[in-house]
Amino acid sequence: MFRLTKSLTSAGVIALLTTAAAPIALAQDTPGEGVSVVMAQPTWDTGWFHTEIYKQLLEELGYSLGDTMTLDNPAFYQSVAYGDVTLWVDGWFPLHDTYREAFESGAETVGAVAKGGALEGYLVDKASAEKFDITSLDDFKREEVQEAFDRDGDGKADMVACPPGWGCEINIEHHLDAYELRDHINPIKAGYSASMADAVAAYGAGEPILFYTWTPNWTVNELVPGEDVVWIEVPEVDLPGDMMELADAATREGVTGCVNDPCKLGFPANDIVPVANSDFLEANPAVRALLTEVEVPLADIFAQNAAMNAGDADIEAQAAAWIADHRPEVDGWLDAARAAAQ
């Protein structure tokens, strides 16, 4: 009788331990259980793919995420400092250094989606660059060049620029003044995707085009530097305010399709980085660890942007497929996040 009781007691203890261990293991697997994350994404859709990747990884950790908010830069950086928004993964630095004063009191950069490979600059269709010997923005002071690129009849060359509120708008506006181009170039500030679609159509019709772009972006898949278009230079590197300390980073070697090497792009190369609310990171070390671990190759972002521009708009499925294709690496990131939460 004693032995039977002892056996039953042991079995009961094992059952209790097994039962108790289950929620503990579950909590370790999903440290975000019961925690809400308000994620944002930028108004430029070329950042939505990696945003969705991070979102799905956070969900695997148990965090609750609703619809992603689409915000302009100023609105995001103010909101993340106050904690109204938790994070986004589309900080462009040093381009977004102008917003540091707005967010650093309550938020911070952490990790990097991609380091150093995010370029910005001005491009011209290759045929026009060769026909008019265009190598620099300064060439748009020549009357025959302005006339060739004047699509609206105002006497100025039309250039696809950045919508109001984007960080690149500040640099472009500075360049127009610094290089005395106000009377020669007309910056088009309408919706970027629509303006670029119009420029691509104009290129297809054999018309000259001038545009600003950045990488990663579908534009350089549609209009390939060195084949369809060329990067042109600025007369000299001239950046807004205290960004001049980054002047060396605005000239890059080995830029495919540039008229010169090294290439005076006029914009410092950027890191694409997450920006998150500091109080949230303090309370959720798993998120800090995840943001520190994750990287998405620029080539993969290029490829998705091209597919999206071709009509494949199912970003959720694209991100899920990317995660599945990189499962071993992804599991390592998630394990590091779970370990940080213990």
Side-chain angles (χ1 to χ4, degrees):
M1 186 73 176
F2 172 76
R3 287 183 179 176
L4 179 61
T5 304
K6 183 177 180 180
S7 176
L8 288 171
T9 302
S10 298
V13 170
I14 291 170
L16 285 170
L17 287 173
T18 303
T19 303
I24 292 173
L26 182 61
Q28 290 172 341
D29 286 344
T30 56
E33 197 72 37
V35 180
S36 295
V37 172
V38 181
M39 197 161 187
Q41 64 187 8
T43 50
W44 59 92
D45 59 6
T46 55
W48 295 357
F49 173 58
H50 48 272
T51 295
E52 181 62 29
I53 290 173
Y54 279 76
K55 178 181 179 181
Q56 292 185 24
L57 296 182
L58 287 167
E59 289 173 337
E60 287 200 41
L61 292 174
Y63 289 93
S64 176
L65 290 93
D67 292 338
T68 302
M69 300 176 65
T70 302
L71 298 175
D72 286 321
N73 295 342
F76 167 74
Y77 284 114
Q78 291 177 5
S79 298
V80 73
Y82 291 130
D84 297 330
V85 174
T86 311
L87 79 155
W88 80 359
V89 293
D90 276 284
W92 274 56
F93 293 91
L95 178 64
H96 290 179
D97 279 350
T98 53
Y99 301 108
R100 285 190 179 277
E101 187 175 348
F103 77 81
E104 284 190 331
S105 61
E108 60 194 86
T109 62
V110 54
V113 181
K115 292 186 70 67
L119 303 179
E120 301 174 81
Y122 304 102
L123 296 100
V124 168
D125 66 284
K126 187 176 181 181
S128 296
E130 293 174 350
K131 177 179 179 180
F132 296 103
D133 192 24
I134 299 170
T135 61
S136 164
L137 278 181
D138 223 29
D139 288 312
F140 284 86
K141 293 179 180 178
R142 290 192 274 129
E143 186 175 345
E144 69 274 17
V145 176
Q146 291 175 54
E147 184 177 327
F149 286 80
D150 179 10
R151 299 178 58 209
D152 62 5
D154 67 352
K156 301 179 184 180
D158 293 311
M159 177 179 73
V160 178
C162 290
W166 288 20
C168 48
E169 183 205 17
I170 296 171
N171 277 29
I172 293 172
E173 289 294 302
H174 176 80
H175 286 166
L176 292 176
D177 289 329
Y179 308 136
E180 299 181 345
L181 292 168
R182 290 285 178 191
D183 294 333
H184 310 288
I185 290 179
N186 170 41
I188 299 169
K189 297 187 178 185
Y192 184 82
S193 293
S195 296
M196 275 308 306
D198 181 61
V200 170
Y203 172 78
E207 298 177 26
I209 57 170
L210 165 65
F211 62 98
Y212 158 90
T213 201
W214 67 93
T215 63
N217 195 319
W218 63 267
T219 56
V220 293
N221 289 84
E222 189 75 25
L223 300 171
V224 179
E227 297 179 17
D228 305 304
V229 295
V230 292
W231 297 92
I232 62 172
E233 296 189 294
V234 293
E236 60 183 5
V237 175
D238 195 319
L239 301 171
D242 57 6
M243 286 186 69
M244 273 305 292
E245 65 188 38
L246 304 167
D248 289 347
T251 299
R252 303 284 291 181
E253 294 183 350
V255 177
T256 301
C258 184
V259 294
N260 283 314
D261 188 16
C263 185
K264 284 188 293 187
L265 291 166
F267 298 81
N270 285 271
D271 297 334
I272 305 174
V273 303
V275 181
N277 180 268
S278 296
D279 288 343
F280 180 87
L281 292 176
E282 184 68 24
N284 294 272
V287 176
R288 181 185 292 278
L290 183 71
L291 297 180
T292 301
E293 292 287 325
V294 178
E295 292 183 30
V296 181
L298 284 171
D300 294 352
I301 300 175
F302 276 131
Q304 184 277 337
N305 287 176
M308 180 173 60
N309 186 58
D312 183 357
D314 193 346
I315 298 174
E316 184 176 343
Q318 292 165 344
W322 187 91
I323 290 171
D325 289 343
H326 295 79
R327 195 74 243 183
E329 191 175 11
V330 166
D331 285 343
W333 299 337
L334 295 174
D335 287 345
R338 292 175 181 125
Q342 295 178 10

